[in-house]
Amino acid sequence: MKSTAPSRALNRSFRRSNSNANAGFVEVSDGGNGYFRRVDRGDSTDLDGASEVSSVVGGYTVLIPPTPDNQPMMSGSGGIIDSDVVDPTIAMKADQQMVSSSIFTGGYNSMIRSHVLDKMTDGAADDHPQLAGNRGSMCMMKGCDGRVIRDERGEELSPCECNFKICRDCYSDACKAGGKCPGCKEPYRPSEEDPDPFLPTSVPLSLPAPPDQQHHLPDRRLSIVKSKKYSQQLSLRSPKFDHANWLYETKGTYGFGNAVWPKEPELYSGVMTGGPIPDFKDKARRPLTRKIKVPAGILSPYRLLIVFRFVALVMFLIWRVSHPNSDAIWLWGMSIVCEIWFTISWLLDQLPKLCPVNRATDLAVLKDKFEQVGPTNPGGRSDLPAMDVFVSTADPEKEPPLVTANTVLSILAADYPVEKLACYLSDDGGALLTFEAMAEAASFARIWIPFCRKHAIEPRNPESYFNMKGDPTKNKVRQDFVKDRRRVKREYDEFKVRINGLPESIRRRSDAYNAHEEVKAKRHQMQSGSDPSEPLNVVKATWMADGTHWPGTWSTSSMDHGRGDHAGIIQVMLAPPSCDPLFGSSSEENLIDTSEIDIRLPMLVYVSREKRANYDHNKKAGAMNALVRASAIMSNGPFILNLDCDHYVYNSMAFREGICFMMDRGGENICYVQFPQRFEGIDPSDRYANHNTVFFDGNMRALDGLQGPMYVGTGCMFRRIALYAFDPPRYKDRGGLCSGLCCCCGGSRQKRKQVQSNLTKKTELDSISMMAGEEEDMEMQLVPKKYGGSSALLASIPKAEFQGRPLADHPGIKYGRPPGALRVPRENLDPATIAEAISVISCWYEDKSEWGRSVGWIYGSVTEDVVTGFRMHDRGWRSIYCVTKRDAFRGTAPINLTDRLQQVLRWATGSVEIFFSRNNGLLASTRMKILQRIAYANVGIYPFTSIFLIVYCFLPALSLFTDQFIVQTLDILFLIYLLVITLTLCMLALLEVKWAGITLEEWWRNEQFWVIGGTSAHLAAVLQGLLKVIAGIDISFTLTSKASTEGENDEFAELYVVKWTSLMIPPLTIVMVNMIAIAVAVGRTIYSSNPSWSKLLGGTFFSLWVLMHLYPFMKGLMGRRGRLPTIIWVWSGLISITISLLWVAISNPQNQFSSGFSL
């Protein structure tokens, strides 16, 4: 005991052999229990003195220390204490404390290391029991600096009646040494009076396994995977249970709220008040959601006008083709081609809008079904499924840590069962600044979240809440609200100061430690007698608050510590909470009175996947897939919500509203629920259509009436098994107009393909099972290539499927789960589980697997969100658009013209990539509805409209220059056609505004920016896509200069900043050419002896129409005071002169105007 006590602040390490990159994770232990090799901090040479390990070719192995005092704590014989000596409560709490106080690192060709953090930031430690590195008493063992084991309330836990304080490591050593307390020398006795609330009272329910495999499921701790070279596939067996094809089509017609809502029953006395027990059968029949159709008085005229306008366009085009302009056939030809394309583009945009719908949820029914207190649930535990929330960030310089921290706080404070909620932050930059900012956020959460619950705060983003205008006491009923708000506001101001001071704090700390290392190196150089003039080889490291190297990216890049080259990191910032409420106290030491408030916090995990220079990490899509795998190991929530770091939870009930659709009858066919994106900080006039309400409130509502909205990157709740590339359980082939043909000619072949696909997936899931063996090196069958080499990940898939099913509380639900199945506590985290999670976020894990190809977020496109949603719809899934009364999420959007164009350029570039890939909507399968295919086809086609749009914008100027027009004469029939087409467009806009709930100003801004983006970013995206596909040349359009900002105190100062970019050249040229053409045409007509007023009016009208659409662009170039950068004048002048000279060169010099001058 004395020899091991001084080494409590230690690194726990795993070592991975370097022979096989595709091997899995191997546990070398006795009895299947994982344990750790302890190494003194900063001492890496001690690894070489370890005893030999089992010879395993490829894979992870655990180093076994040479001394007998560090053996794992196990049950059984052979010198190991019996299980009845060890208190399971103490042992489990010790493991939990170790998990929440350690940072795990590792990856490809490197050891997996668990490093105990004495503290995570330079500030004072907090004493909340779930916080990592929380404060506590020191161990009473001589020479040990460990923290005493604590319970869920933060109180110190003593395993012996003598109240001898002991840490986890010393307690483990005492148990291994005979199970006697070091203080009173009496044996430890398990406690029988106070059962631990963390211990499950029953076995958690999970998806049943085949009978012949129930006793051979893999252990949840460490998976054992042999490399392909040393493994062989087992013969396929025919299991009794089909994990993949769980559900089949039924004759039930009860869908997503399409039933008549019953009247609310009369109020009844609750069970707890002694009244009669209510009839829950009637309530079980009430749907969680309902579909609200658009009134026929709006939708029918809207559809009729679409048909009428299409007929008018066809007749107009026929008339135009049959009446060519012989005087300017080239002008007539260009206009005809453009008008035909515009008609096709308009039709592709309008057809998916034929069936818009609205939806509503009933949160009261959700509470009655899943959280009702009753005889079977006296404690009121929630039966809702667990949810994992993903937040992604990559660069703390571009994405401020304070914004990310506020987003995380809003998630942790959401109104969802605390024990069912887990938040994962993906730091793709591996920055210590983000890590410590999350540690500060976790510390502030112990104050902010109880305050939100106590006073029903909305929104639960502290920055947005404290900056709200208006009376904060409105609708607040507690008398201590003002006092609590004042105290929390003071704490938040201090929190912001700490966050904003982190960069300087990290720099000063690192400089101090690096200077100390240089002094040590200099002293060592002098003692060794080396030449003092030789330069010191001391790396400039980035140091954590506890005086150790940060395992991620350093400020000064170094080997294994650079951007894109660092180990994987996982830190459980907030440990999983208990399953029962934990109320605070009214002590004066507390900032606010929490005696009636649940003070538990949801689980918070910091994840930075491993990055190496030789790997393509696939940007955000790769980070999301790493989170999917890590979360499957650690919490395995059946539903996943992803948010950008600048999109916070504005409506605390949003999670419940989304889960209503998933848990309603028929919800098992829903792959994701998409929420609309709402933005803050937009200028009141919304000059560049940043709100994008026409798309989010118009197009997306319309798609909801088909197969569902597209996935737009953030604010989306996924069903986990849909990300695993499984087919929907109630798949039915619906091919629109093609379905009849498919049934006649190809139905049997498709049915055979579906059966074969189901058998394949059945085999994949059944391969999770492990062979029983008595050999020392355990054998396991080869896991499927599709999901990689983690058996724990494979084992989590059927559990996630089962937990994501709706309740089987109605005869119409054939494939549901029994009520109460999810009220049991979740499995606790242990160190081996975190080590397994480290292995699945390593850079090599996806090699030779289907991740990014058919599983998870799809790689290969800038707009990976649209492609991922397309793959799900193509497999027959459907999605839902959830528009809440109070915005679910809010974020930020660029209000600067250049930043907005760059954003549109990225979207358009992704659309061009989709068009030239197999993700084109034209190549979709028959499982996708015909109108849904048209919508996805339009996604890839719309950037090409820019080619015709830019030509059409120059046509009015060419008409004015040449004194010609697109028609021979302004015929009355031509004017009637134009009038009808224009009026029907305006009437359609009025009706669309009506059913979409937007304003005419928003619709007009969208039209304006469609022209601005079409003549700039869309055209650049088409050129970039064509060069990439044809010539393999990758061109990026970046900023080249930036003007100074004026009025920094103005909220919208960024709106007036002019940043030069090449994307501005085409629209600016269009503006200048049209303005010059109008001046030339007016002067020529006035001074002409035979003026052509009709051609002047026609050309001028269309030129002004173009300039009206480009007005926001021109206003943006003027900045705040109307100053235009010189470079813009130079480029525009050169291009305008070039076009004029080109026209002079190709025009007929004999064509003299009657006024005496010629072009």
Side-chain angles (χ1 to χ4, degrees):
M1 293 294 294
K2 293 183 179 180
S3 63
T4 61
S7 59
R8 294 309 172 209
L10 303 172
N11 289 336
R12 281 87 174 162
S13 304
F14 289 105
R15 172 169 288 176
R16 180 173 183 262
S17 60
N18 301 331
S19 58
N20 194 340
N22 293 325
F25 199 88
V26 179
E27 178 186 5
V28 182
S29 63
D30 188 12
N33 293 320
Y35 57 95
F36 299 100
R37 160 78 160 88
R38 304 187 199 179
V39 183
D40 287 334
R41 179 177 298 161
D43 185 9
S44 60
T45 60
D46 191 31
L47 294 174
D48 299 330
S51 61
E52 296 181 358
V53 298
S54 300
S55 177
V56 179
V57 181
Y60 286 103
T61 58
V62 178
L63 275 173
I64 303 177
T67 56
D69 58 339
N70 280 337
Q71 297 302 316
M73 182 173 59
M74 298 173 292
S75 61
S77 58
I80 305 298
I81 62 173
D82 199 17
S83 60
D84 58 353
V85 178
V86 181
D87 188 347
T89 301
I90 306 294
M92 184 172 55
K93 289 188 180 301
D95 279 341
Q96 290 177 344
Q97 184 171 335
M98 189 268 179
V99 167
S100 62
S101 300
S102 303
I103 181 172
F104 290 77
T105 61
Y108 178 74
N109 280 345
S110 62
M111 67 183 70
I112 293 182
R113 176 172 298 172
S114 169
H115 167 65
V116 178
L117 294 176
D118 293 335
K119 58 178 181 177
M120 301 179 66
T121 61
D122 289 327
D126 294 293
D127 52 4
H128 193 283
Q130 291 179 243
L131 285 174
N134 51 7
R135 184 169 61 240
S137 301
M138 303 298 262
C139 179
M140 297 177 65
M141 292 293 297
K142 184 178 179 180
C144 179
D145 59 352
R147 303 291 182 180
V148 174
I149 304 172
R150 311 172 74 191
D151 63 7
E152 67 276 5
R153 290 183 178 273
E155 300 176 358
E156 295 175 351
L157 189 65
S158 177
C160 184
E161 296 178 355
C162 70
N163 200 27
F164 183 83
K165 305 298 183 182
I166 192 170
C167 68
R168 171 194 181 273
D169 295 326
C170 292
Y171 173 71
S172 300
D173 291 338
C175 292
K176 289 181 288 186
K180 292 184 178 181
C181 173
C184 63
K185 308 303 181 183
E186 294 293 330
Y188 284 125
R189 296 181 180 86
S191 176
E192 299 178 357
E193 299 178 356
D194 187 15
D196 183 41
F198 283 95
L199 288 177
T201 57
S202 61
V203 179
L205 296 178
S206 61
L207 195 66
D212 58 339
Q213 299 179 10
Q214 287 182 353
H215 301 289
H216 307 296
L217 289 176
D219 190 3
R220 185 173 181 261
R221 299 171 69 85
L222 296 180
S223 61
I224 303 171
V225 181
K226 291 287 188 173
S227 65
K228 189 173 181 181
K229 181 178 180 181
Y230 296 95
S231 303
Q232 58 182 358
Q233 289 187 342
L234 301 178
S235 59
L236 299 179
R237 289 172 288 182
S238 57
K240 303 267 181 86
F241 185 84
D242 188 352
H243 285 288
N245 192 18
W246 321 281
L247 308 176
Y248 295 91
E249 188 67 20
T250 64
K251 297 181 180 180
T253 58
Y254 205 105
F256 305 100
N258 55 358
V260 178
W261 279 47
K263 295 182 179 180
E264 184 72 25
E266 296 182 359
L267 295 178
Y268 57 88
S269 301
V271 178
M272 303 304 293
T273 60
I277 298 177
D279 186 4
F280 288 97
K281 293 183 179 179
D282 292 337
K283 281 189 171 291
R285 295 179 181 271
R286 294 183 57 186
L288 296 172
T289 64
R290 59 192 175 103
K291 183 189 297 183
I292 305 174
K293 295 185 178 180
V294 177
I298 299 176
L299 190 57
S300 297
Y302 182 76
R303 293 171 175 173
L304 184 61
L305 276 175
I306 291 176
V307 176
F308 181 76
R309 189 169 192 267
F310 176 69
V311 173
L313 285 171
V314 172
M315 294 177 63
F316 173 71
L317 292 176
I318 293 175
W319 183 89
R320 291 275 285 115
V321 171
S322 59
H323 293 77
N325 185 1
S326 57
D327 295 337
I329 196 69
W330 57 273
L331 192 63
W332 169 84
M334 287 192 298
S335 64
I336 283 292
V337 173
C338 293
E339 288 163 1
I340 292 175
W341 180 263
F342 292 152
T343 302
I344 297 174
S345 177
W346 174 82
L347 190 63
L348 291 176
D349 183 65
Q350 287 295 328
L351 285 179
K353 295 182 180 180
L354 292 175
C355 305
V357 296
N358 297 311
R359 300 185 187 274
T361 60
D362 194 334
L363 298 180
V365 177
L366 182 74
K367 186 174 183 62
D368 288 342
K369 283 189 174 184
F370 294 91
E371 297 175 334
Q372 184 69 33
V373 177
T376 59
N377 186 27
R381 286 188 179 181
S382 176
D383 198 23
L384 287 172
M387 186 178 302
D388 297 335
V389 185
F390 295 169
V391 181
S392 59
T393 183
D395 189 349
E397 296 180 359
K398 297 180 180 179
E399 299 166 336
L402 182 61
V403 175
T404 306
N406 275 277
T407 298
V408 170
L409 287 171
S410 69
I411 295 171
L412 298 179
D415 190 350
Y416 200 77
V418 182
E419 68 276 11
K420 302 296 182 73
L421 187 61
C423 179
Y424 293 82
L425 176 76
S426 170
D427 179 16
D428 228 24
L432 179 59
L433 176 58
T434 304
F435 177 84
E436 295 197 2
M438 290 305 101
E440 292 286 356
S443 176
F444 181 70
R446 67 184 178 88
I447 303 173
W448 173 249
I449 294 178
F451 172 69
C452 292
R453 293 171 182 166
K454 181 178 180 180
H455 299 289
I457 300 299
E458 292 287 353
R460 300 192 175 181
N461 177 320
E463 182 70 20
S464 299
Y465 171 71
F466 289 121
N467 289 334
M468 285 177 56
K469 298 178 181 179
D471 185 9
T473 62
K474 185 178 180 180
N475 299 326
K476 297 297 182 288
V477 296
R478 290 182 178 266
Q479 295 181 355
D480 58 352
F481 168 72
V482 175
K483 180 187 66 175
D484 290 349
R485 185 181 188 275
R486 186 183 300 114
R487 291 180 176 181
V488 174
K489 176 66 166 59
R490 183 169 58 251
E491 289 292 326
Y492 178 66
D493 290 339
E494 296 177 1
F495 166 74
K496 288 201 298 184
V497 171
R498 292 195 300 270
I499 291 288
N500 294 329
L502 281 177
E504 182 66 15
S505 174
I506 294 173
R507 185 190 64 80
R508 290 185 177 184
R509 180 203 310 151
S510 299
D511 290 345
Y513 277 114
N514 288 330
H516 179 67
E517 293 296 318
E518 290 180 359
V519 171
K520 288 174 58 180
K522 188 68 175 178
R523 185 183 302 113
H524 178 73
Q525 186 183 55
M526 296 175 62
Q527 292 176 354
S528 61
S530 302
D531 186 4
S533 62
E534 293 183 359
L536 298 175
N537 187 17
V538 179
V539 296
K540 299 294 183 180
T542 299
W543 296 75
M544 291 190 290
D546 67 338
T548 57
H549 285 176
W550 167 243
T553 302
W554 289 353
S555 300
T556 302
S557 295
S558 179
M559 187 175 185
D560 295 333
H561 294 283
R563 186 177 296 274
D565 183 19
H566 59 80
I569 307 170
I570 292 181
Q571 167 69 58
V572 181
M573 296 284 186
L574 291 173
S578 61
C579 56
D580 292 321
L582 179 66
F583 296 99
S585 65
S586 58
S587 173
E588 295 182 357
E589 297 179 357
N590 293 340
L591 194 68
I592 61 176
D593 181 6
T594 57
S595 58
E596 301 177 359
I597 306 300
D598 187 2
I599 63 171
R600 293 177 301 163
L601 306 177
M603 184 170 73
L604 174 62
V605 183
Y606 171 90
V607 179
S608 181
R609 59 177 174 148
E610 182 192 17
K611 284 192 170 184
R612 297 303 174 194
N614 300 332
Y615 283 81
D616 181 10
H617 300 101
N618 298 293
K619 300 180 180 178
K620 180 181 176 181
M624 289 294 100
N625 285 338
L627 286 186
V628 171
R629 297 190 296 270
S631 63
I633 302 296
M634 299 178 66
S635 57
N636 196 32
F639 298 104
I640 295 172
L641 175 70
N642 83 294
L643 293 173
D644 289 342
C645 64
D646 61 341
H647 276 70
Y648 67 91
V649 180
Y650 188 74
N651 181 358
S652 62
M653 305 295 289
F655 295 1
R656 292 179 176 269
E657 298 218 29
I659 212 69
C660 281
F661 294 100
M662 296 294 192
M663 292 291 101
D664 203 8
R665 296 158 204 164
E668 64 274 7
N669 292 312
I670 299 175
C671 56
Y672 60 82
V673 176
Q674 177 66 60
F675 294 86
Q677 293 184 18
R678 307 300 187 199
F679 303 101
E680 293 179 337
I682 306 298
D683 56 296
S685 63
D686 194 12
R687 181 186 293 177
Y688 305 123
N690 292 96
H691 286 299
N692 210 1
T693 53
V694 173
F695 175 76
F696 288 114
D697 291 327
N699 297 63
M700 298 289 273
R701 287 180 192 263
L703 289 176
D704 197 15
L706 303 177
Q707 200 170 339
M710 302 175 185
Y711 168 42
V712 291
T714 184
C716 189
M717 182 184 296
F718 286 95
R719 184 179 296 275
R720 185 180 286 270
I721 61 168
L723 287 170
Y724 290 154
F726 286 99
D727 294 334
R730 289 187 180 180
Y731 165 68
K732 182 178 181 181
D733 204 357
R734 297 175 181 176
L737 297 177
C738 303
S739 60
L741 297 176
C742 296
C743 293
C744 296
C745 62
S748 60
R749 181 167 60 250
Q750 292 175 359
K751 187 174 182 180
R752 287 195 300 269
K753 284 185 177 181
Q754 183 180 354
V755 172
Q756 184 177 1
S757 175
N758 291 335
L759 290 175
T760 302
K761 289 174 182 174
K762 179 196 306 180
T763 305
E764 290 173 354
L765 280 174
D766 291 338
S767 63
I768 299 172
S769 60
M770 184 183 293
M771 294 183 59
E774 300 178 353
E775 301 179 0
E776 188 173 309
D777 187 10
M778 301 170 64
E779 293 291 334
M780 173 183 161
Q781 63 180 353
L782 184 66
V783 296
K785 171 185 175 182
K786 192 170 189 176
Y787 301 103
S790 172
S791 61
L793 175 62
L794 266 293
S796 70
I797 296 177
K799 294 180 181 179
E801 186 276 329
F802 173 79
Q803 295 175 2
R805 294 179 181 180
L807 286 183
D809 58 353
H810 187 271
I813 301 179
K814 185 178 179 181
Y815 300 97
R817 60 176 174 84
L822 302 184
R823 292 176 187 154
V824 296
R826 70 166 66 183
E827 297 180 12
N828 294 304
L829 290 178
D830 54 21
T833 302
I834 311 298
E836 179 79 355
I838 283 286
S839 69
V840 299
I841 65 171
S842 60
C843 57
W844 60 268
Y845 185 84
E846 294 183 354
D847 291 352
K848 299 181 181 179
S849 71
E850 291 298 319
W851 285 99
R853 298 178 179 88
S854 62
V855 179
W857 271 258
I858 306 301
Y859 302 155
S861 176
V862 178
T863 52
E864 73 285 338
D865 47 3
V866 178
V867 176
T868 302
F870 169 80
R871 291 290 185 87
M872 294 182 183
H873 285 141
D874 197 41
R875 286 191 291 268
W877 291 95
R878 66 159 305 163
S879 58
I880 292 293
Y881 197 54
C882 181
V883 182
T884 56
K885 291 182 179 180
R886 178 183 176 88
D887 294 344
F889 310 102
R890 283 192 177 181
T892 58
I895 62 175
N896 180 265
L897 174 60
T898 305
D899 296 337
R900 179 77 165 113
L901 291 178
Q902 291 289 337
Q903 183 186 55
V904 174
L905 172 62
R906 184 178 65 85
W907 294 343
T909 303
S911 296
V912 175
E913 293 174 349
I914 290 174
F915 181 81
F916 289 107
S917 69
R918 64 187 184 94
N919 299 312
N920 193 324
L922 300 175
L923 305 178
S925 67
T926 55
R927 299 186 181 187
M928 189 180 294
K929 292 184 177 181
I930 183 66
L931 293 182
Q932 191 81 14
R933 293 184 225 172
I934 292 175
Y936 274 111
N938 191 38
V939 170
I941 291 175
Y942 83 88
F944 295 93
T945 304
S946 61
I947 300 174
F948 304 92
L949 179 61
I950 199 168
V951 171
Y952 209 73
C953 288
F954 276 113
L955 286 183
L958 296 178
S959 299
L960 293 174
F961 278 135
T962 61
D963 199 24
Q964 298 293 334
F965 198 52
I966 58 177
V967 293
Q968 189 79 30
T969 59
L970 290 180
D971 189 89
I972 186 64
L973 190 57
F974 173 76
L975 296 177
I976 291 175
Y977 278 130
L978 286 183
L979 182 62
V980 170
I981 292 171
T982 305
L983 288 178
T984 52
L985 178 63
C986 295
M987 295 173 68
L988 281 173
L990 289 173
L991 292 175
E992 185 172 339
V993 163
K994 190 70 175 176
W995 62 255
I998 60 178
T999 63
L1000 278 175
E1001 183 182 6
E1002 291 172 334
W1003 180 86
W1004 174 240
R1005 291 297 186 203
N1006 182 78
E1007 292 294 311
Q1008 287 180 314
F1009 196 78
W1010 178 77
V1011 176
I1012 295 173
T1015 55
S1016 56
H1018 295 177
L1019 181 64
V1022 171
L1023 295 176
Q1024 182 176 353
L1026 291 175
L1027 288 175
K1028 185 176 181 180
V1029 172
I1030 298 175
I1033 301 175
D1034 192 4
I1035 301 177
S1036 60
F1037 297 84
T1038 57
L1039 303 178
T1040 56
S1041 66
K1042 182 176 180 179
S1044 61
T1045 305
E1046 296 182 21
E1048 284 129 0
N1049 295 327
D1050 188 356
E1051 181 181 0
F1052 308 111
E1054 185 69 16
L1055 179 68
Y1056 308 107
V1057 177
V1058 180
K1059 307 174 185 177
W1060 167 247
T1061 174
S1062 57
L1063 298 177
M1064 295 180 177
I1065 296 177
L1068 187 58
T1069 303
I1070 292 174
V1071 170
M1072 297 192 66
V1073 169
N1074 276 275
M1075 293 178 67
I1076 294 173
I1078 291 175
V1080 170
V1082 170
R1084 181 186 61 228
T1085 304
I1086 292 176
Y1087 293 102
S1088 175
S1089 59
N1090 186 21
S1092 301
W1093 292 104
S1094 61
K1095 295 180 179 179
L1096 174 64
L1097 291 176
T1100 304
F1101 173 79
F1102 284 108
S1103 288
L1104 291 176
W1105 185 255
V1106 172
L1107 294 176
M1108 285 175 59
H1109 281 80
L1110 294 175
Y1111 172 73
F1113 172 79
M1114 294 183 287
K1115 192 174 180 180
L1117 290 182
M1118 296 301 169
R1120 183 186 293 274
R1121 298 181 179 176
R1123 297 186 306 175
L1124 198 65
T1126 305
I1127 187 66
I1128 296 180
W1129 286 109
V1130 172
W1131 273 102
S1132 303
L1134 290 175
I1135 293 177
S1136 301
I1137 293 173
T1138 303
I1139 293 177
S1140 301
L1141 293 176
L1142 182 63
W1143 174 251
V1144 170
I1146 65 176
S1147 63
N1148 185 4
Q1150 301 299 326
N1151 185 14
Q1152 301 290 330
F1153 291 106
S1154 57
S1155 60
F1157 66 92
S1158 62
L1159 290 176

